[in-house]
Amino acid sequence: MIDIISQVVIVFTGFLSMYLLSSQDTKTRMYAGLIGLFGEPFWLTTAIINGQWGVIVLVVIYGVNWFRIFWFNYKAYKNEEWDRLL
């Protein structure tokens, strides 16, 4: 049952994060990174359950990149907010 729930979450977070990532708005791209990062534990769970060791390596790689997407868009969003105040 855990594997089925993980698969549903993977589909939802994967679709939504890719959709949001194509936005020109930095705040929206920041949320794409968060949603993508949220899905990584579910990727890890299903990879462990099914013995997919290559996917486990990809979980780490994708996790780092989802964090980078979040972090750099967060910084850009905060800079935009600061520029609006000036």
Side-chain angles (χ1 to χ4, degrees):
M1 188 66 163
I2 291 174
D3 193 33
I4 292 170
I5 293 169
S6 292
Q7 294 291 326
V8 171
V9 173
I10 287 168
V11 168
F12 179 72
T13 58
F15 165 75
L16 187 57
S17 61
M18 285 294 117
Y19 179 77
L20 295 176
L21 194 57
S22 65
S23 173
Q24 301 226 350
D25 179 40
T26 54
K27 186 176 181 182
T28 304
R29 289 193 312 266
M30 178 185 73
Y31 287 126
L34 279 178
I35 292 168
L37 200 54
F38 175 79
E40 289 305 303
F42 296 94
W43 276 100
L44 183 61
T45 300
T46 196
I48 290 171
I49 288 171
N50 296 302
Q52 298 168 324
W53 306 112
V55 175
I56 293 172
V57 172
L58 287 175
V59 165
V60 174
I61 294 168
Y62 278 97
V64 167
N65 284 293
W66 281 124
F67 181 78
R68 290 181 68 230
I69 289 168
F70 162 74
W71 183 248
F72 290 123
N73 282 288
Y74 171 78
K75 289 185 354 184
Y77 174 68
K78 287 299 175 187
N79 285 339
E80 289 172 3
E81 290 269 307
W82 182 251
D83 289 344
R84 277 185 240 156
L85 292 174
L86 296 178

